[in-house]
Amino acid sequence: MSNYHYYPGIADNEFIRGDIPMTKQEIRIQVLAKARIAKGDTIIDIGAGTGSLSIEAALQSQTGAVFAIERETEGIELIKANAQRFGTPAVSAILGSAPEAMAALPQADVILIGGSGGKLSAILAEADRLLKVGGRLVITAITVETLHGALQELKKRNYPSEACGIQVSRIRSVGASHMFQALNPIYIISATKEEG
């Protein structure tokens, strides 16, 4: 996309998509706000899906690196295709599951967790090892159990955290009328790593 000017919240239809779940625009905007990505930041995106968040993180970081971990081969191909489409060569697609796929990664300023595959505790332990002091951790959850588990794990690790639930409804045309269509509600948990 030559002459592309970036603004947070790229439209969903601008991404190359397949059958892999994608974080929707309105949720991406909130996650990016919580992540507070600065120029040069290193970001790890766990459960990257189509790479929509990875791409936006790379565009915000500009000179930093983004490591997009995804366990589905189709997802890896979509991440690579979208990285090329948006001119973000700093996005490295990593095929594998966390926490194992995190083992060789460098220290990070921001870690995004969009999918845990039931291994949230182990992923957070590895995230704690990789996250720099002052680094931000943002978790998106679609189940109450993941929300509860994330809050409990962060409390055990003494991470100050906050959480919110977001319900987005989009308007769509139905003949000559319009109606709202609800997207799945999402919980966003954000935390910062402090000294000690």
Side-chain angles (χ1 to χ4, degrees):
M1 298 184 77
S2 61
N3 299 321
Y4 181 77
H5 297 286
Y6 173 66
Y7 303 97
I10 297 168
D12 292 346
N13 63 8
E14 290 191 43
F15 290 97
I16 300 166
R17 301 186 52 189
D19 293 327
I20 301 292
M22 184 179 88
T23 304
K24 301 299 188 290
Q25 177 192 47
E26 295 86 352
I27 304 305
R28 254 182 287 123
I29 291 169
Q30 291 297 320
V31 169
L32 292 165
K34 298 292 186 184
R36 301 190 324 269
I37 296 166
K39 185 175 181 179
D41 276 357
T42 296
I43 299 112
I44 299 170
D45 183 8
I46 300 164
T50 61
S52 62
L53 258 174
S54 297
I55 301 305
E56 295 224 42
L59 289 167
Q60 285 196 341
S61 175
Q62 298 176 39
T63 58
V66 179
F67 300 92
I69 299 172
E70 173 54 47
R71 64 184 178 184
E72 300 291 338
T73 307
E74 181 188 357
I76 291 294
E77 295 309 313
L78 288 168
I79 292 165
K80 290 177 180 176
N82 280 312
Q84 183 173 0
R85 177 177 176 79
F86 288 95
T88 53
V91 175
S92 299
I94 300 168
L95 179 61
S97 296
E100 297 80 11
M102 300 166 71
L105 296 183
Q107 295 283 290
D109 300 284
V110 175
I111 298 179
L112 308 172
I113 302 175
S116 63
K119 300 178 185 177
L120 186 60
S121 181
I123 290 169
L124 286 174
E126 189 68 1
D128 184 48
R129 181 184 73 80
L130 291 172
L131 197 60
K132 297 175 186 176
V133 171
R136 282 86 56 212
L137 179 65
V138 184
I139 304 162
T140 52
I142 57 171
T143 68
V144 174
E145 288 77 14
T146 302
L147 169 65
H148 180 262
L151 291 172
Q152 292 300 108
E153 290 291 334
L154 291 170
K155 186 176 181 181
K156 277 196 288 187
R157 291 176 169 80
N158 295 315
Y159 273 58
S161 63
E162 59 182 32
C164 65
I166 297 179
Q167 172 66 65
V168 175
S169 295
R170 291 178 172 172
I171 200 164
R172 69 180 179 96
S173 298
V174 181
S177 301
H178 295 84
M179 65 178 281
F180 282 99
Q181 184 171 24
L183 302 179
N184 290 332
I186 303 284
Y187 304 103
I188 300 175
I189 307 101
S190 56
T192 302
K193 183 174 183 176
E194 295 187 339
E195 291 278 3

